[in-house]
Amino acid sequence: MNLFHDEEEGPIEPVRGLPGHLPKGEKLIWQGQPSATGLLFGAFRIRWVIGYFVLVTFGRLAHLASIEAEPAAMTAVCVSSAVTCALAISVLTLIALAMSRAAIFTITSERVIIRHGVAFTKYINAPFASMKSAQLKRRSARLGDIALQMSEAGSAPYLHLWPFAKPFHFGRPQPMLRSIHDPESVARILAEAAQAHSPDHVNIAADRPSIEANIESDIPAGLASAH
């Protein structure tokens, strides 16, 4: 099985989120979807967008104040910026909603599969046999990300994976289960599936309560979770 494999979606998915039926012996363990709100704040950096408009507006107002412009001109600047900002937020929100509905994360007994894309649907395979680690990072009280680091050289391009790629890892992109609900439980499912696939490679210590300590890797082919 290729480290990263993508293909366009066929006419009908025989199994939701998968390009075809699973091979004999492979079992579907978990499926989930990203949060649209999480994508909006994480992938689309909506706070930065709002901050940009705020800074630009204050800059324009400061300039108008320095030349003693009429209050009407300042009001027009505020209204124009507010309308443009609202339009930008609306467009990004619609895109985030579309992407969240189109994306499905799947964990099987052999691999992780990411289905994503609105106009062109793609499938990314990340087999456990080639997985070096999985890094869990909580983003909010309910949401978190799990980035998958693969042990083999070569991967899909960053833009091909985006927004389901670990931010700023351009040279060796890492696919990521982004903005998922209850990420600790998903990380545990992922670790247990990897352990079942390669019992000699992954240890789970039951006497440690935290998710970081509970999932540990002995060799590069194992699976680890850490903030």
Side-chain angles (χ1 to χ4, degrees), residues 3-7 114 116 122-125 150 153-176:
L3 174 58
F4 288 97
H5 169 66
D6 63 271
E7 60 184 77
I114 299 175
H116 74 106
K122 299 292 181 178
Y123 300 89
I124 307 298
N125 282 326
M150 312 308 292
S155 65
Y158 185 88
L159 290 179
H160 182 89
L161 290 171
W162 191 88
F164 304 109
K166 188 173 182 178
F168 310 118
H169 283 65
F170 303 110
R172 196 169 183 180
Q174 299 179 21
M176 186 166 69

Side-chain angles (χ1 to χ4, degrees), residues 29-83:
I29 298 175
W30 174 89
Q31 283 190 321
Q33 290 183 276
S35 160
T37 302
L39 290 181
L40 186 63
F41 283 88
F44 292 100
R45 309 289 181 179
I46 195 65
R47 293 186 183 92
W48 293 11
V49 174
I50 296 173
Y52 167 80
F53 280 102
V54 170
L55 289 176
V56 169
T57 301
F58 273 108
R60 295 176 65 187
L61 290 176
H63 172 71
L64 291 175
S66 68
I67 62 174
E68 298 181 351
E70 294 293 329
M74 294 187 177
T75 301
V77 166
C78 292
V79 172
S80 173
S81 295
V83 170

Side-chain angles (χ1 to χ4, degrees), residues 6-195:
D6 63 271
E7 60 184 77
E8 292 187 2
E9 182 180 22
I12 299 176
E13 288 181 333
V15 180
R16 179 174 176 269
L18 303 178
H21 291 288
L22 293 175
K24 185 177 180 180
E26 184 175 357
K27 298 179 181 180
L28 192 154
I29 298 175
W30 174 89
Q31 283 190 321
Q33 290 183 276
S35 160
T37 302
L39 290 181
L40 186 63
F41 283 88
F44 292 100
R45 309 289 181 179
I46 195 65
R47 293 186 183 92
W48 293 11
V49 174
I50 296 173
Y52 167 80
F53 280 102
V54 170
L55 289 176
V56 169
T57 301
F58 273 108
R60 295 176 65 187
L61 290 176
H63 172 71
L64 291 175
S66 68
I67 62 174
E68 298 181 351
E70 294 293 329
M74 294 187 177
T75 301
V77 166
C78 292
V79 172
S80 173
S81 295
V83 170
T84 306
C85 182
L87 180 62
I89 292 173
S90 298
V91 171
L92 292 177
T93 299
L94 290 175
I95 296 174
L97 282 169
M99 285 188 167
S100 68
R101 292 179 179 178
I104 297 179
F105 306 136
T106 302
I107 298 175
T108 75
S109 56
E110 302 286 333
R111 52 183 164 157
V112 175
I113 304 169
I114 299 175
R115 184 255 255 176
H116 74 106
V118 178
F120 299 97
T121 303
K122 299 292 181 178
Y123 300 89
I124 307 298
N125 282 326
F128 292 144
S130 302
M131 193 175 294
K132 182 179 179 181
S133 67
Q135 295 181 323
L136 168 65
K137 185 171 184 178
R138 178 167 281 285
R139 294 292 181 180
S140 68
R142 299 182 300 110
L143 302 175
D145 305 330
I146 301 177
L148 309 176
Q149 183 180 358
M150 312 308 292
S151 59
E152 296 180 12
S155 65
Y158 185 88
L159 290 179
H160 182 89
L161 290 171
W162 191 88
F164 304 109
K166 188 173 182 178
F168 310 118
H169 283 65
F170 303 110
R172 196 169 183 180
Q174 299 179 21
M176 186 166 69
L177 308 185
R178 190 166 206 160
S179 300
I180 53 175
H181 294 274
D182 196 7
E184 285 88 354
S185 294
V186 178
R188 188 175 300 281
I189 291 171
L190 182 59
E192 290 175 352
Q195 184 186 44

